[in-house]
Amino acid sequence: MALPVMKNYINGEWVESDSKTFGDVWNPAKGEKIARVAYGTRADVDQAVKAARAAFWEWRATPPLSRARYLFRLKDAFEENFEDIAKVLTREQGKVIDEARGEVRRMIENVEHATGVTTLMCGYTLEDIAKDIDCKGHRQPVGVFAAIAPYNFPAMVPWWFLPYAIVSGNTYVLKPSEQVPMTQTKIFEILDSVGFPEGVVNMVHGSKEVVNAILDHPDIAGVSFVGSSPTAKYIYERCGATGKRVQALGGAKNIVAVMPDAKLDAAMPSLITSYYGCTGQRCLSGSILTPVGDVADALLEKFTAAAQSIQMGDGLDEKTSMGPVVSAAHKQRVLGYIEKGIAEGAKLILDGRQAKVADLPNGFFVGPTIFDEVSPDMTIAREEIFGPVVSVVRCKNMNDVVELINSRGFANAACIYTSSGASAREFKYRVKPSMVGVNIGIAAPMSFFPFGGAGQSMFGDTKGHGQEIFNFFTDTKVVIERWL
Amino acid sequence: MPLQNFGSILNFAEELESQDQRFYEAAAGNPACAAHQELFVQLAAEAAKNVKTVQRIRREYVTEMILEPVRDFTRASFCEACEGAAVQAAAEVLATAKRLESRAERYYTEAADKIKALTEVARALKTLGKIRKVRSAKLAPLG
């Protein structure tokens, strides 16, 4: 049977790319191809940008409340199709269905937050800045924006940006990850049913050629990106060279510190989820586990037992608590890091390399893995693995913890488990990462707070969602006014 | 089959509510139950509403994933046969109705306890359990 081919969505219509290059979309639990996607071309991007540019002036002149009403309708349509989106997501990405539901929820929350445009986009004014002179700051939309999205959250991440951009009066071009194009295709089918004016929202599938076409296109005003740090840096530099606004969110090496006074039993569910939720493929996942002082042995005993209780399988199966990694290539990459850990002398206390799931022999599964006795200079303590691999680096005290965290280069998130307010305060005060959890394993800001890191984890200065996102998508035009 | 995570617990709740809705709809159409028709119509409507409520809980309360499986909680002890409501005698239908209400109350109470780490979900399930308790009280004097 012929596999479905993902189409672009340009100017309110589903169109096929002229590209002759295609990629395969996989069900990672079964290790089988389920769709194909055309790797779009510069011509596809240009067509989408032309449509977005043509739609801009009428859309930007549409009252903000009217623009918000499209989002209200979209939210309702998303709620009606909630389970369908979650199932498509699980099928192509591999995460378990509850995780997919959580992701779709977070996507919708961004739509909900963006509907507050009539408050959030307001400018400001001050009378009498000089004799008989008033000053007004109007926030105006800028033009065409674009997003380049990653594979780990195919539903949610594009919607950290898209609803805010369009509700502010901009128009949009989205490039989903070529590894997981089906989820946004489903979402755009729903979006199409809401009846946005043609050209306001467009989608082009593809790979590097589409990325470079977006970065170079003179009619794109700004780009939002989420992915690895090397690519984020590349995006940032190339956008800088072409004078674009840019927010490029990169990778992470998140550390979770567990203090001797932590309540281990209460902590364990969120702690274990931090490392193995979404099979470790999220930029907020714990990667290094840092027991402080004499808590180490008790912590590792409970943590290892909890990791062993995780049931791998197809994310659509209700019994599954951890799915596969996204691709065969990524599985090999994760396994490569485990080999490096062994070669560099870390002690492997839980080995996920041979993990198998009955009836799914071809799935891209890597089991929960734990290394103890990891030193900060080992590869597995420095590089982003993006899989279910935990590196335990034991620390003596808070100073060691802070030094370890602030020496990673990445500075996305850091978490602490403690019963001490003083320890929590010192931790959140001194660590460099921008997203901090206190007795929280995944320090994920919700849509009304900004999402993004520091250091090598973030290139650009305006983060995803939150109130600040309206700064990224608007220009504050200052009018100084005197009537003679 | 084990009920070991958020999704499976809510999916089973949806199954229970749907089963109850079908049962009460059939009972409402049973001439032998004419004396209780109004009540059965009301209970069917409430079950239909509860299906939506359970779906909403599943959509809106996925705020934190719990990877550790819920233990010692299975479907088997909550499965009830309830076919034949359209043709059975009123006493038989009422007896089944009481069993279904009691089963649902027990399910929601136990499920809320099993999933207490997700406090909003636990609270919502407890509320559904309370609704079932009220319904049981309505049925108790009948038959």
Side-chain angles (χ1 to χ4, degrees), chain A residues 156-174:
Chain A
M156 176 184 72
V157 166
W159 293 77
W160 285 356
F161 314 109
L162 194 161
Y164 305 103
I166 60 172
V167 86
S168 304
N170 304 285
T171 52
Y172 217 71
V173 178
L174 169 66

Side-chain angles (χ1 to χ4, degrees), chain B residues 2-101:
Chain B
L3 298 162
Q4 52 189 20
N5 52 36
F6 171 82
S8 59
I9 287 172
L10 270 297
N11 287 349
F12 191 57
E14 186 182 355
E15 282 178 36
L16 295 190
E17 295 291 356
S18 299
Q19 187 188 32
D20 291 0
Q21 182 188 347
R22 288 193 300 274
F23 169 80
Y24 286 120
E25 282 170 353
N30 181 346
C33 299
H36 310 298
Q37 187 192 27
E38 195 178 329
L39 175 62
F40 289 151
V41 167
Q42 184 199 338
L43 294 176
E46 284 177 10
K49 189 179 163 197
N50 288 348
V51 170
K52 302 276 183 205
T53 303
V54 169
Q55 289 172 344
R56 187 177 54 76
I57 294 168
R58 190 175 58 203
R59 283 201 316 271
E60 293 187 357
Y61 292 172
V62 197
T63 51
E64 189 175 8
M65 270 297 297
I66 303 297
L67 280 188
E68 284 180 292
V70 168
R71 296 186 192 285
D72 306 323
F73 197 44
T74 60
R75 288 168 174 248
S77 57
F78 302 101
C79 289
E80 288 281 352
C82 58
E83 289 77 26
V87 291
Q88 287 169 338
E92 211 173 340
V93 172
L94 283 168
T96 305
K98 287 172 190 174
R99 271 204 329 272
L100 292 181
E101 294 306 322

Side-chain angles (χ1 to χ4, degrees), chain A residues 200-254:
Chain A
V200 170
V201 189
N202 307 273
M203 175 170 65
V204 179
H205 292 293
S207 187
K208 194 163 184 182
E209 183 176 344
V210 170
V211 170
N212 285 333
I214 287 171
L215 302 181
D216 294 342
H217 203 292
D219 289 331
I220 292 180
V223 173
S224 304
F225 169 81
V226 178
S228 70
S229 284
T231 311
K233 189 162 184 275
Y234 170 81
I235 301 267
Y236 182 69
E237 289 172 350
R238 196 143 169 173
C239 282
T242 53
K244 290 178 174 50
R245 296 177 176 210
V246 57
Q247 45 182 185
L249 283 66
K253 193 72 188 172
N254 304 318

